[in-house]
Amino acid sequence: MNIKNICCIGAGYVGGPTMAVIAQKCPHIKVTVVDINASRIAAWNDDDLNNLPVFEPGLDTIVKEARGRNLFFSTEVDKAIDEAEMIFISVNTPTKTYGKGKGMAADLKYIELCARQIARVSKQNKIIVEKSTLPVRTASAIKSILENTGNGVEFQILSNPEFLAEGTAVTDLMLPDRVLIGGDTHEEGQKAIQSLVDIYANWIPKERILTTNIWSSELSKLTANAFLAQRVSSINAMSEICEKTGADVNEVSKAIGMDSRIGSKFLKASVGFGGSCFQKDILNLVYIAKSYGLNEVADYWEQVILMNEHQKNRFSDNIVSTLYNTVSGKKITFFGWAFKKDTNDTRESAAIKVADNLLNEQANISVYDPKVAVERIYADLDYLNTRASEENRELLAVSSDPYQAIHQSHAIAVLTEWDEFKGYDWQRIYNNMQKPAFIFDGRGILDQRVLEDIGFTYYKIGSGC
Ligand code: UDX
Ligand code: UDX
């Protein structure tokens, strides 16, 4: 099928940037991104590109070029579904918070709602593309809904998992290591795969477009995220040994990363990984393994999450013990709240857990993050339900200026690796803090020697020196 009209359901961190790049690279295809959230769509349509709901370096330029030409953001879901020959489903699939599989399985209710809506509206054959990360065999559930509630229309289901990382989404979409497309092995399935291959082939070399059966594609996404997260947990496990033995985890990372069999990426010790995918996808994998009775496999992967929790907890424990075993009433400034630099996304950010632990110890926290909105920070804490939301607002303040944020602080904790932190006037910061002035660098980005020369007591994750 020669695709001229695409619809994407879900204008989030994945749907928005992915469709913007497809529209930019394929001016001959009309791309409509729809969402039930009207204010999100309004933000995507805002004249001021600083107000786009997703912050990604370079995204504003692409939206500026394609929006109104062949890229549209709309709340008219039925209309866009009806018009499109190919529909991407890019809605969120959070971990279930209720019932069977609570805390582990992916909640597929939005996916199912989308499938039912597509079935209801469609009058012509369509290709449905799963963009959301899904448990293996979700495609068969979508197919069954479409076939049993549809109007005799034929649907082909493809799995096309997204591998973009937030903060580098635009580059990842422009120059992906690979694009993965899974589909049925019969003739119609192969034709559908070809239609999607043809779209990507507008800017991606053919040898980087991989086609597989649908289950392999779905499982590959979970596996990729599990392997990446496992590397972070592995290096974080080593970071604790380094701190005890006097080794430096950065030196260890460099030494092992030069082994081409290991490779250098995803070996940066941190205060713990966050983001919407790693934890959710591993929990999903664990749930799938358990449901097949594969308990050893489940335990193996679960350990990656347990290590990550430990890393966050030991970071806050270290702050408390270093500050003479009490942080009650002490001001601690957080530099960064996002789960990594160059994004305004905070889902599963380590900062949330570290803050919660310190608030339990009655610390006063002051937060500065260059991109995260104040309401987001409070919403993240309120979501934990650890204490009343008024108390969260009493104990934690958000500042829009780093120098104001640190005023009279006992300690600074670096939670996100924003580049701007490195260029601060650290002497000025030191002068305005309580003494002794402590820095807990959860990302290992600051210059230890410079800070110690100024007078700071500096702790770097994974350094026992
Ligand atoms: C994506 C993927 O879909 C998820 O599976 C993956 O693991 C992480 O990335 P993301 O784009 O980050 O999710 O999610 P989010 O930013 O929450 O966007 C999803 C959007 O879908 C929201 O704007 C929501 O309003 C919309 N939505 C949800 C619908 O339009 N319809 C629905 O029925 C449900
Ligand atoms: C991840 C996958 O990389 C991407 O392919 C998939 O599509 C979605 O999930 P994302 O969560 O956006 O992307 O960011 P990523 O760069 O993978 O970082 C995840 C977390 O790991 C962040 O909190 C980051 O700070 C942390 N991390 C990453 C480390 O602590 N150390 C590292 O060496 C790398």
Side-chain angles (χ1 to χ4, degrees):
M1 201 189 292
N2 186 15
I3 307 295
K4 298 214 156 42
N5 228 309
I6 288 177
C7 160
C8 171
I9 310 180
Y13 283 90
V14 170
T18 309
M19 291 303 127
V21 169
I22 291 184
Q24 192 215 24
K25 296 291 185 185
C26 311
H28 54 289
I29 300 177
K30 180 180 173 194
V31 180
T32 309
V33 192
V34 292
D35 202 296
I36 47 173
N37 182 338
S39 62
R40 208 162 205 188
I41 290 297
W44 279 110
N45 282 323
D46 201 308
D47 285 338
D48 182 353
L49 292 165
N50 290 317
N51 294 336
L52 295 184
V54 169
F55 170 73
E56 277 294 338
L59 181 61
D60 48 356
T61 321
I62 294 173
V63 170
K64 188 173 175 208
E65 178 188 331
R67 198 175 58 185
R69 178 188 73 188
N70 65 326
L71 173 66
F72 302 92
F73 295 93
S74 161
T75 49
E76 291 185 274
V77 184
D78 284 4
K79 180 166 177 270
I81 291 176
D82 182 32
E83 285 175 3
E85 296 112 19
M86 182 178 271
I87 300 170
F88 288 77
I89 303 184
S90 194
V91 298
N92 42 333
T93 50
T95 304
K96 271 184 93 174
T97 52
Y98 56 89
K100 195 158 177 264
K102 179 179 171 184
M104 278 204 172
D107 191 340
L108 298 180
K109 84 178 161 202
Y110 301 130
I111 298 282
E112 180 167 343
L113 282 173
C114 286
R116 288 186 186 279
Q117 193 165 10
I118 294 169
R120 181 170 52 73
V121 172
S122 300
K123 300 200 246 345
Q124 301 133 0
N125 296 352
K126 292 188 195 297
I127 298 170
I128 312 301
V129 185
E130 299 174 343
K131 204 69 189 151
S132 306
T133 312
L134 297 166
V136 186
R137 304 202 83 88
T138 305
S140 61
I142 297 181
K143 198 168 178 57
S144 153
I145 293 167
L146 290 173
E147 279 171 359
N148 290 301
T149 51
N151 319 322
V153 170
E154 285 195 19
F155 296 100
Q156 287 303 320
I157 322 285
L158 300 179
S159 158
N160 172 219
E162 190 48 74
F163 294 107
L164 66 80
E166 288 173 31
T168 51
V170 171
T171 332
D172 294 346
L173 286 161
M174 299 271 193
L175 301 165
D177 286 349
R178 71 347 199 150
V179 165
L180 179 59
I181 302 173
D184 271 348
T185 42
H186 59 59
E187 197 188 335
E188 288 307 309
Q190 293 301 305
K191 277 192 201 156
I193 290 180
Q194 192 54 46
S195 305
L196 189 51
V197 168
D198 290 343
I199 293 176
Y200 284 114
N202 280 295
W203 76 98
I204 294 163
K206 284 246 165 68
E207 62 278 10
R208 292 196 176 213
I209 306 176
L210 220 64
T211 59
T212 64
N213 82 34
I214 199 151
W215 323 127
S216 303
S217 170
E218 287 180 339
L219 186 59
S220 298
K221 172 66 191 258
L222 297 186
T223 309
N225 277 343
F227 271 59
L228 292 170
Q230 181 201 41
R231 283 175 71 98
V232 178
S233 273
S234 297
I235 201 70
N236 281 344
M238 301 320 294
S239 76
E240 192 171 13
I241 299 190
C242 287
E243 287 169 29
K244 296 285 179 225
T245 56
D248 183 323
V249 77
N250 287 334
E251 292 178 352
V252 174
S253 283
K254 187 169 178 195
I256 65 164
M258 284 172 77
D259 184 326
S260 60
R261 294 168 303 175
I262 297 176
S264 61
K265 293 180 180 157
F266 274 74
L267 286 180
K268 183 98 187 85
S270 66
V271 57
F273 61 73
S276 69
C277 285
F278 280 4
Q279 173 156 323
K280 184 189 74 177
D281 289 356
I282 293 178
L283 287 173
N284 216 330
L285 204 57
V286 169
Y287 183 72
I288 294 170
K290 279 194 178 149
S291 67
Y292 285 112
L294 310 177
N295 293 327
E296 291 76 7
V297 177
D299 291 350
Y300 176 76
W301 286 109
E302 193 165 24
Q303 199 57 38
V304 173
I305 307 257
L306 296 178
M307 185 62 226
N308 197 47
E309 287 307 300
H310 172 65
Q311 188 76 348
K312 294 184 257 185
N313 290 333
R314 92 181 174 83
F315 187 74
S316 52
D317 287 350
N318 182 37
I319 295 180
V320 176
S321 63
T322 308
L323 295 184
Y324 316 107
N325 286 317
T326 177
V327 290
S328 174
K330 290 183 182 164
K331 181 172 171 183
I332 299 169
T333 298
F334 278 26
F335 276 172
W337 189 266
F339 81 97
K340 61 186 281 197
K341 74 173 179 178
D342 293 339
T343 178
N344 59 347
D345 193 353
T346 64
R347 286 176 288 182
E348 306 294 341
S349 178
I352 303 170
K353 177 70 176 158
V354 172
D356 194 48
N357 289 346
L358 293 173
L359 293 176
N360 282 341
E361 296 290 331
Q362 301 179 345
N364 289 314
I365 298 180
S366 151
V367 181
Y368 168 75
D369 186 289
K371 286 287 171 199
V372 178
V374 182
E375 316 81 65
R376 182 70 260 155
I377 294 175
Y378 287 125
D380 287 339
L381 278 176
D382 290 348
Y383 183 77
L384 299 178
N385 250 325
T386 316
R387 63 193 72 71
S389 62
E390 298 76 43
E391 210 181 331
N392 283 330
R393 278 152 189 79
E394 251 166 55
L395 292 173
L396 184 142
V398 182
S399 183
S400 57
D401 175 73
Y403 298 96
Q404 202 175 21
I406 58 87
H407 188 66
Q408 291 302 313
S409 284
H410 292 79
I412 292 172
V414 179
L415 276 306
T416 313
E417 73 282 23
W418 286 103
D419 289 333
E420 65 171 64
F421 299 159
K422 297 183 215 166
Y424 285 174
D425 180 346
W426 285 96
Q427 182 66 55
R428 177 176 163 203
I429 290 176
Y430 180 77
N431 296 345
N432 284 302
M433 285 176 66
Q434 306 261 10
K435 306 295 172 330
F438 295 92
I439 297 181
F440 299 89
D441 188 350
R443 297 288 187 162
I445 54 165
L446 302 177
D447 190 327
Q448 176 162 8
R449 193 165 302 161
V450 169
L451 295 172
E452 286 178 347
D453 284 351
I454 292 174
F456 283 105
T457 306
Y458 177 76
Y459 160 86
K460 179 161 81 174
I461 202 105
S463 171
C465 314

